[in-house]
Amino acid sequence: MSDADENLSPPAADPAHAATVRRLEQLSGKLAAAAIARMDEQLSWYRAMPPENRSWIGLVAQAGIAAFTEWFRHPETPQAISTDVFGTAPRELTRAITLRQTVEMVRTTIEVVESAIEEVAAPGGEEALRKALLIYAREIAFATAQVYAQAAEARGAWDARLESLVVNAVVSGEADEGDVSRAAALGWSAPEHVMVVLGHAPDGDSELTVEAIRRAARYARLQVLTGVLGKRLVVIAGGSDDPLRAAKSLIGPFAPGPVVAGPVVGDLLAATRSAQAAAAGVRACAAWPDAPRPVLADDLLPERAMAGDPTARRLLVEEIYRPLQEAGSALLETLSVYLEQASSLEGAARMLFVHPNTVRYRLRRVTDVTGWSPSEVRSAFTLRIALMLGRLADGGQRS
């Protein structure tokens, strides 16, 4: 207790103090009503609130005045002001009323009591009551901050659990409309472009890692849902149609090792496909030691196919082999011979009995049809795997 607090301790037989306590008890209802009336007059947010919340605020004001009366009766006895005052209100009230609004409510109540000191205090007890009110105002301010800090901490822990549930549902392929609602409660505004970035989580406090991802996302103007699942750091990012650029902006908090960005999808439910592609890419990255960091899951299609990813195999057949097949047998044959001849135009031309310019033209058509250039080493590897898988698929259909 401070010196100022000790100066409040009245002699047991102080008649002015005892009389002031009695007057406080008698006028507490009147003071609470005056505080509510002033809030209704001065605070627009209070007038706009639903009746139920206004009634809870009225109870808080009454409890505050009653707690002050009891504290003034025995100022030398420590009391849990936050429990006395805010314990009457439901926990949900901290969501409905901001900290700033609560401060305004407390200030208004204190001002009402302060303006009535001459009426409430017994003759000779005015100064003691005024000092007591100043000290109580300080204590109620600390109590207010504590209540909102505890509410924020509890809400933060709950939000973290909720976010982890959503991220886990997306990664496991079990996301449903309930997870969409949970994400909305976390502030996810259903952006048009969604993708998943996946890599290894660093050692240490996962909360610090998650907060670092959020800071990076704010800087990049991305929405994120993120969490550490075992040894993996998962980020569901929304708001960008460029997965590689988004992944680069978020890569800082990831531990050393591969970081894979899944393809862009249309919404949170479809993000399961992006997550599965990213996870398959992380597993297959060992087959491409020189892969960039971050790398797109679609750039790892051949490695994913070799690792047994059925989605990668299907994409290579459907997006490369089938379009070439539909474009005419000449493109498939030219590409196959060119790859077998170690990417030699002249060698392929001799094998096909055509001019090298014809081979060159057909290879440009291959690039137009598939988006992969046979003259680039990495693209040639992808095209070769696609041809192998397409032939296997055709062979299986014929058998």
Side-chain angles (χ1 to χ4, degrees):
M1 183 180 295
S2 66
D3 293 341
D5 294 350
E6 290 176 356
N7 292 337
L8 285 173
S9 301
D14 184 353
H17 179 266
T20 300
V21 170
R22 288 194 297 272
R23 291 192 181 191
L24 274 171
E25 292 174 339
Q26 294 167 359
L27 297 173
S28 61
K30 179 181 177 181
L31 292 172
I36 295 299
R38 183 171 294 189
M39 282 186 237
D40 190 61
E41 177 185 349
Q42 297 181 351
L43 305 179
S44 59
W45 59 264
Y46 174 78
R47 293 192 299 271
M49 297 192 78
E52 181 181 6
N53 285 348
R54 288 203 303 271
S55 67
W56 281 118
I57 290 176
L59 289 178
V60 170
Q62 292 175 19
I65 294 173
F68 171 66
T69 301
E70 187 61 29
W71 177 81
F72 185 70
R73 186 196 308 275
H74 303 291
E76 73 283 356
T77 303
Q79 297 187 39
I81 292 177
S82 62
T83 301
D84 292 342
V85 176
F86 297 103
T88 60
R91 183 177 301 175
E92 291 79 7
L93 197 62
T94 58
R95 290 182 179 268
I97 303 176
T98 66
L99 177 58
R100 178 186 61 80
Q101 291 170 341
T102 303
V103 170
E104 291 179 350
M105 176 189 72
V106 171
R107 181 188 293 120
T108 301
T109 305
I110 294 295
E111 288 174 350
V112 166
V113 177
E114 188 176 21
S115 66
I117 284 179
E118 299 298 329
E119 177 186 358
V120 174
E126 295 87 356
E127 188 62 25
L129 182 59
R130 185 173 286 106
K131 288 182 178 179
L133 189 60
L134 288 174
I135 294 172
Y136 187 79
R138 180 195 69 191
E139 296 299 323
I140 200 71
F142 287 142
T144 302
Q146 182 181 22
V147 166
Y148 274 82
Q150 290 173 344
E153 185 176 357
R155 188 160 54 246
W158 171 252
D159 286 352
R161 289 194 292 271
L162 199 63
E163 187 171 13
S164 181
L165 286 173
V166 175
V167 171
N168 186 66
V170 169
V171 172
S172 64
E174 299 174 355
D176 55 23
E177 291 297 336
D179 294 296
V180 175
S181 299
R182 296 182 188 98
L186 293 167
W188 181 263
S189 63
E192 293 182 0
H193 306 291
V194 181
M195 53 167 286
V196 175
V197 183
L198 197 148
H200 298 301
D203 296 331
D205 192 341
S206 60
E207 292 184 7
L208 295 178
T209 301
V210 167
E211 185 54 37
I213 288 289
R214 292 199 180 103
R215 285 197 302 272
R218 285 194 295 269
Y219 183 79
R221 300 180 182 274
L222 296 171
Q223 293 187 54
V224 294
L225 297 168
T226 183
V228 175
L229 305 182
K231 296 182 178 180
R232 295 186 298 177
L233 175 56
V234 183
V235 183
I236 304 170
S240 174
D241 60 356
D242 186 340
L244 192 59
R245 182 177 180 181
K248 286 180 179 178
S249 67
L250 300 171
I251 198 171
F254 283 86
V259 175
V260 181
V264 173
V265 294
D267 54 39
L268 188 62
L269 292 180
T272 289
R273 297 200 306 271
S274 185
Q276 291 173 344
V282 170
R283 290 192 296 269
C285 249
W288 187 12
D290 296 327
R293 187 177 185 270
V295 61
L296 297 177
D298 285 351
D299 287 344
L300 286 159
L301 284 176
E303 286 79 12
R304 288 166 52 192
M306 297 294 289
D309 179 9
T311 300
R313 294 188 174 205
R314 177 179 55 80
L315 289 174
L316 287 169
V317 173
E318 292 180 357
E319 296 184 1
I320 296 179
Y321 183 78
R322 296 301 178 204
L324 287 174
Q325 195 176 47
E326 293 169 3
S329 59
L331 292 189
L332 268 179
E333 182 185 20
T334 300
L335 175 62
S336 176
V337 172
Y338 175 76
L339 295 175
E340 292 297 333
Q341 294 298 313
S343 300
S344 169
L345 284 171
E346 291 75 12
R350 286 194 299 272
M351 294 294 295
L352 295 168
F353 301 103
V354 297
H355 194 277
N357 284 342
T358 302
V359 175
R360 187 177 289 108
Y361 168 77
R362 290 177 181 176
L363 294 180
R364 282 200 301 267
R365 288 279 297 132
V366 169
T367 303
D368 293 339
V369 170
T370 66
W372 300 85
S373 173
S375 61
E376 297 177 1
V377 175
R378 177 71 191 171
S379 294
F381 173 64
T382 302
L383 290 166
R384 182 184 292 273
I385 298 297
L387 290 182
M388 292 170 55
L389 292 172
R391 289 165 183 158
L392 288 171
D394 285 348
Q397 292 174 359
R398 286 194 295 269
S399 64

